[in-house]
Amino acid sequence: MEQIGTNIRLLRRTKNITQEELASALHISYQAVSKWENNSSQPDIALIPAIANYFGISIDELFGFKLQAMTNKERFIRFMADTGVLTFGDFALKSGGNSNYYINSENFCTNAQIAKLGEFFADCIREEHIEFDCIAGMAYHGISFAAATAIALYQKYGITTNFCHDRKVKDSRGRMVCGHMPEAGERIVVMDDLVSSGRTLGERLGHLLEETKARVAAVLVIAQKEPGAALLKEKYGAKVLSVIRDKDIACAMKDGIV
């Protein structure tokens, strides 16, 4: 177990968290984390699964197997391929053109997969230092993603936030938002599955902002195409973030990750 302390330090710094934050998540003292990272002591064997789960990796990776070879983005891409969300071939895009991969977010269909996805999103929000007041899921895919992310933010980082999602059809009282109703000026993180052309999400986002008068802190998706991200930024001043981009998938394919 000599390498595990070095790996914990690497993982912690990659996630941009302090020893105190890691210790709090694991319900131990920060001195214990410091000793691990200095290789002067080792984690109790009972903590190993919790540490691996916190960082979103396998126990093998925690012990160094392929840890140096795979980045967080590569692990996410591999996760999508393993769950059948990411497939490869020649696909025609609705926005025009072709792609050598296809992401079908409907294949995230188990609670374990949705929970893991929520952790990846929560990590992204944390690492990008996004300041926000509410997580807003866009119907339909974005609803479960936003809920999983809100839960992960609380369970993993102790962050309490408001949660809501939009509706495609008004309810009996004419409302287009379920859950927390953002007030004027509130900063919302808008969540959906993908940004391709940006037109559909842009239209829905426009309705949401008109209804609530909120401000967009960021748009957060699994993956994005640059033209769509540019459109949203230009029209709404929205910072578009994604766990991965085209180039990440291309590099993963080239490097044999998938």
Side-chain angles (χ1 to χ4, degrees):
M1 295 179 63
E2 302 85 19
Q3 191 179 8
I4 191 170
T6 301
N7 291 341
I8 290 173
R9 182 174 67 250
L10 173 64
L11 290 162
R12 179 179 62 76
R13 289 178 175 176
T14 298
K15 285 190 175 296
N16 194 31
I17 60 172
T18 65
Q19 291 181 342
E20 288 82 359
E21 288 172 320
L22 176 57
S24 176
L26 297 174
H27 307 292
I28 58 175
S29 69
Y30 80 90
Q31 291 93 338
V33 175
S34 178
K35 289 179 180 179
W36 297 345
E37 295 186 359
N38 290 329
N39 291 309
S40 58
S41 71
Q42 297 173 346
D44 187 283
I45 193 69
L47 280 174
I48 297 299
I51 297 171
N53 183 64
Y54 178 80
F55 288 115
I57 61 174
S58 68
I59 291 176
D60 281 348
E61 289 173 318
L62 181 61
F63 280 92
F65 296 104
K66 297 184 179 181
L67 184 62
Q68 303 300 327
M70 295 181 67
T71 65
N72 285 341
K73 289 184 177 182
E74 288 169 341
R75 277 191 287 273
F76 182 70
I77 293 170
R78 182 64 177 271
F79 166 64
M80 290 201 302
D82 288 345
T83 54
V85 172
L86 175 64
T87 54
F88 301 94
D90 186 17
F91 302 97
L93 301 175
K94 292 181 181 179
S95 56
N98 292 74
S99 174
N100 60 352
Y101 71 87
Y102 178 67
I103 296 176
N104 183 1
S105 59
E106 291 185 8
N107 283 347
F108 284 124
C109 53
T110 70
N111 59 346
Q113 292 166 356
I114 295 295
K116 182 65 69 175
L117 181 59
E119 288 186 13
F120 277 111
F121 278 133
D123 290 344
C124 185
I125 290 173
R126 180 74 172 180
E127 290 163 10
E128 292 290 335
H129 304 288
I130 301 173
E131 296 183 357
F132 64 98
D133 303 300
C134 180
I135 300 288
M138 304 301 287
Y140 291 103
H141 294 93
I143 296 176
S144 59
F145 298 165
T149 302
I151 292 169
L153 284 168
Y154 177 73
Q155 292 183 335
K156 197 167 185 178
Y157 296 110
I159 295 173
T160 299
T161 184
N162 290 312
F163 167 79
C164 69
H165 66 83
D166 76 329
R167 300 174 57 95
K168 288 191 175 182
V169 179
K170 292 182 180 181
D171 67 7
S172 59
R173 288 188 281 177
R175 298 176 301 179
M176 291 297 293
V177 178
C178 289
H180 170 73
M181 175 61 77
E183 298 179 356
E186 273 194 35
R187 302 161 298 178
I188 59 175
V189 173
V190 176
M191 297 194 61
D192 207 354
D193 56 347
L194 305 169
V195 168
S196 185
S197 70
R199 292 192 294 270
T200 301
L201 179 55
E203 181 179 341
R204 300 284 304 287
L205 181 54
H207 293 324
L208 179 63
L209 297 181
E210 182 179 351
E211 179 85 5
T212 64
K213 309 303 180 185
R215 295 186 292 123
V216 181
V219 174
L220 184 56
V221 294
I222 296 171
Q224 61 173 287
K225 299 284 186 182
E226 296 302 332
L231 174 67
L232 293 175
K233 183 176 181 180
E234 178 183 357
K235 192 169 184 179
Y236 299 104
K239 183 178 183 180
V240 180
L241 301 173
S242 58
V243 181
I244 54 171
R245 300 191 179 197
D246 276 351
K247 62 181 180 180
D248 300 315
I249 296 177
C251 288
M253 293 172 65
K254 180 180 177 182
D255 295 338
I257 302 299
V258 290

